[in-house]
Amino acid sequence: PLSSSVSSTSLPRHQHRLLAGSRNPRRPAPMAAAASTATLSGCARAPPSTLISSPSSTRLAPFASRSRPRRLRAAAAAATLREVCSGRVPDHVLQRAEDVGYISPTEVQEQSLPVLLSGQDCILHAQTGSGKTLAYLLAVFSAIDVGRSSVQALVIVPTRELGIQVRLL
Ligand SMILES: Nc1ncnc2c1ncn2[C@@H]1O[C@H](COP(=O)(O)OP(=O)(O)OP(=O)(O)O)[C@@H](O)[C@H]1O
């Protein structure tokens, strides 16, 4: 149930999509789907997908400058990352995030985490290096049960290089 205004082929490679609990098993997730889990709360009756689109995403830089992380707009956020996650992300995950310096959310995180953590489908549309990966990983951590040994979330990325980056984060 993706937003009908966004087709799976019209988005550039760097965009990530989070499909939180597909409600239609006959409709496969698009190739660019970044993560999927069947255990997000409220997924069975979640409203249609939300498209989070950072204004800066319409001004894509040349490929050379997109290939390295951008300076993040984190300091201007009103709430801390911990506050935005509002008790839905395990404390040890937030503590680890703070230990490595993730105190304030980036713009795309600030906008998307309330939606993601409520269990809704969400498409994140923002420049490379804007913090999309951490946003959907926090949503995954809020949904999985670390006591279970079965696979509960799947992150699919289009290149091996991106897979390594996600794993490092
Ligand atoms: N809230 C934050 N505070 C500080 N640094 C952050 C924050 N969120 C992410 N970062 C760092 O910013 C860098 C870019 O983030 P990330 O890889 O999540 O961006 P992205 O939008 O997913 O990029 P891409 O489109 O290339 O996959 C990473 O090095 C990450 O560690």
Side-chain angles (χ1 to χ4, degrees):
L2 288 169
S3 164
S4 57
S5 63
V6 181
S7 77
S8 61
T9 54
S10 66
L11 296 171
R13 187 182 69 84
H14 67 273
Q15 292 172 8
H16 290 187
R17 299 166 189 196
L18 173 62
L19 300 178
S22 172
R23 292 182 295 283
N24 183 352
R26 284 169 299 180
R27 178 186 285 183
M31 279 187 60
S36 178
T37 171
T39 58
L40 286 180
S41 61
C43 61
R45 294 201 176 88
S49 302
T50 301
L51 172 62
I52 305 291
S53 185
S54 167
S56 55
S57 63
T58 55
R59 301 192 311 271
L60 292 179
F63 180 79
S65 57
R66 278 191 276 138
S67 63
R68 61 181 183 275
R70 296 179 165 278
R71 194 158 47 89
L72 292 168
R73 193 188 145 229
T80 63
L81 191 60
R82 182 178 286 274
E83 287 165 345
V84 171
C85 292
S86 65
R88 291 182 175 262
V89 176
D91 191 67
H92 71 275
V93 173
L94 288 173
Q95 187 60 55
R96 175 67 184 147
E98 288 169 354
D99 289 347
V100 297
Y102 305 157
I103 308 297
S104 300
T106 64
E107 186 178 358
V108 72
Q109 291 163 3
E110 189 177 29
Q111 291 180 27
S112 65
L113 279 166
V115 179
L116 291 171
L117 296 176
S118 71
Q120 295 179 54
D121 293 348
C122 191
I123 299 172
L124 306 189
H125 179 193
Q127 283 186 327
T128 188
S130 56
K132 301 179 296 292
T133 304
L134 183 66
Y136 73 69
L137 287 181
L138 287 171
V140 167
F141 278 118
S142 78
I144 61 173
D145 176 358
V146 292
R148 281 175 55 193
S149 59
S150 56
V151 174
Q152 298 169 67
L154 181 63
V155 177
I156 302 172
V157 293
T159 66
R160 182 174 181 275
E161 181 195 36
L162 197 49
I164 292 169
Q165 281 180 31
V166 172
R167 187 166 175 270
L168 287 175
L169 192 69

